[in-house]
Amino acid sequence: MSEQLLSLLKKGAFVSGGFLSSKLGITRAGIWKKIHSLKEKGFKVEASPGKGYRLIDTPEFSVEELKTLIKGEIGRKIIYFDRIDSTNNYAMSYANELLHGEVIIADAQMKGKGRLQRHWVSPPNSNIYMSIILKPDILPREGTLLTLLSSVASVNALRRLTGIDIKIKWPNDLMIGSKKLGGILLETRSEPDRILFAVASIGVNVNMRRIPHELKPIATSTLIETGKRFKRTRKGRQGLLKGWKGLSQTLGKEVAVKTERETIKGIAEDIDDEGRLILKTPDGSIKNISSGDLIHLR
Ligand code: BTN
């Protein structure tokens, strides 16, 4: 239900309580309660009498938002734990009963497992720990290709989301330069002529600031590399925004933007994550403008 409410709420525009209550089939008081519980989970929602509700910001991670972002077969069902021994152990134990594409995610792992029985450092509120159930119709000897597939898919997604030049070190380490950002563990159960299931497990260091002393020379996180905190629940916009910025005639120029209400002059500093123009006005204030007619002044 929280997922349905979240997908109806919009960033930027108000959605009326009446609309939400008719879509979800609950009373306006029920909607208010659900909004309250979203706020407790870190969502910023503005409520305005007569206008309704508007989503202002989302938390760094929430499984509710994650469920609204996933459209395909992988992630059709998400099993989430605040903490678990290892998502990989869970997936291997229950894979027979789980369906292709179901994903197990945890915020923290007590016994995170790396390749070659190594320990995988898995603190809370920081990183991505997930295991995906795969039931492809392939031969056991083709299983190795799933490892390659998982690392290529992970690197492509991470590059698109972060803009960082991530590479693969054989067999499946996700690297930034000479340091490891993440890794993939692939385990399969097979009969002689077919794979019964595979579990593709992925760990990525995202907002981990402190790397254990002994791993410092060989491990990193996106926070350490860029100085920026990335939301683990993140839409694939960074590549798009980076591409737009590279093609823009406007950034850095003095401009005038005519909106419905006023004409604002200033320097076009940047675009934000929503694609709004960030304008620095002559008095030094910053305005985020979502639409209008723009003229390049200089
Ligand atoms: C490696 O050694 O490079 C593979 C690391 C895999 C870590 C992930 S985190 C999610 C899943 N659960 C685990 O216990 N391990 C994998």
Side-chain angles (χ1 to χ4, degrees):
M1 181 65 94
S2 305
E3 293 106 81
Q4 286 162 287
L5 175 58
L6 259 183
S7 39
L8 292 170
L9 282 174
K10 290 205 183 83
K11 263 197 176 170
F14 280 99
V15 182
S16 78
F19 173 79
L20 295 173
S21 107
S22 73
K23 281 277 179 195
L24 297 179
I26 54 173
T27 61
R28 281 171 180 241
I31 296 289
W32 188 87
K33 267 195 195 159
K34 300 234 160 287
I35 296 276
H36 186 69
S37 92
L38 282 179
K39 281 185 175 174
E40 281 182 339
K41 288 178 181 149
F43 289 88
K44 292 207 175 75
V45 184
E46 186 184 342
S48 166
K51 287 189 185 168
Y53 300 98
R54 170 164 76 158
L55 188 59
I56 303 288
D57 205 2
T58 56
E60 187 273 320
F61 175 81
S62 95
V63 72
E64 290 83 1
E65 189 188 5
L66 188 61
K67 287 179 179 172
T68 68
L69 298 177
I70 291 173
K71 307 276 181 261
E73 208 179 13
I74 304 296
R76 62 206 272 180
K77 182 171 169 205
I78 294 173
I79 303 169
Y80 172 74
F81 297 93
D82 282 334
R83 38 190 260 168
I84 192 172
D85 60 345
S86 150
T87 59
N88 184 79
N89 289 354
Y90 182 98
M92 289 301 287
S93 309
Y94 293 101
N96 276 330
E97 292 104 83
L98 299 174
L99 298 175
H100 172 78
E102 292 192 25
V103 175
I104 299 96
I105 295 181
D107 183 53
Q109 297 185 120
M110 306 295 108
K111 285 192 182 155
K113 197 169 114 184
R115 282 193 321 114
L116 310 171
Q117 303 306 319
R118 291 191 184 116
H119 173 60
W120 189 259
V121 178
S122 310
N125 304 316
S126 306
N127 300 329
I128 294 170
Y129 318 113
M130 68 176 186
S131 296
I132 306 168
I133 306 288
L134 299 170
K135 299 198 172 177
D137 187 11
I138 58 172
L139 299 169
R141 65 180 153 81
E142 293 170 319
T144 329
L145 293 176
L146 290 176
T147 315
L148 303 189
L149 180 84
S150 311
S151 36
V152 171
S154 305
V155 166
N156 282 341
L158 286 165
R159 281 177 165 231
R160 203 173 57 238
L161 292 167
T162 64
I164 306 173
D165 184 23
I166 300 162
K167 294 247 161 72
I168 303 168
K169 176 167 171 269
W170 191 89
N172 44 18
D173 289 349
L174 314 181
M175 306 293 292
I176 302 181
S178 59
K179 293 194 174 177
K180 183 156 164 169
L181 177 73
I184 288 156
L185 184 67
L186 194 106
E187 294 192 55
T188 50
R189 285 268 186 286
S190 302
E191 283 177 346
D193 59 345
R194 68 180 185 119
I195 280 192
L196 295 172
F197 63 78
V199 171
S201 291
I202 299 151
V204 184
N205 301 333
V206 183
N207 292 321
M208 184 159 71
R209 194 182 288 282
R210 296 172 68 88
I211 305 272
H213 182 71
E214 65 284 8
L215 297 176
K216 265 195 182 147
I218 52 166
T220 192
S221 70
T222 54
L223 173 63
I224 292 170
E225 291 299 317
T226 64
K228 278 199 290 187
R229 292 182 73 81
F230 286 93
K231 285 188 175 182
R232 283 172 292 166
T233 316
R234 194 170 176 87
K235 287 185 194 158
R237 291 179 183 158
Q238 292 313 300
L240 169 67
L241 297 175
K242 202 175 164 193
W244 189 92
K245 288 179 199 183
L247 298 170
S248 169
Q249 271 191 333
T250 300
L251 294 186
K253 289 210 169 129
E254 198 179 328
V255 299
V257 187
K258 193 169 167 231
T259 70
E260 272 176 18
R261 281 178 291 136
E262 55 187 338
T263 299
I264 314 166
K265 285 187 183 171
I267 305 289
E269 295 259 292
D270 205 348
I271 47 166
D272 66 17
D273 278 5
E274 305 294 316
R276 291 175 300 196
L277 184 69
I278 304 176
L279 200 65
K280 188 168 181 190
T281 62
D283 67 5
S285 65
I286 298 287
K287 300 238 164 25
N288 296 47
I289 305 171
S290 47
S291 68
D293 271 336
L294 180 138
I295 306 165
H296 292 152
L297 297 174
R298 248 186 281 161

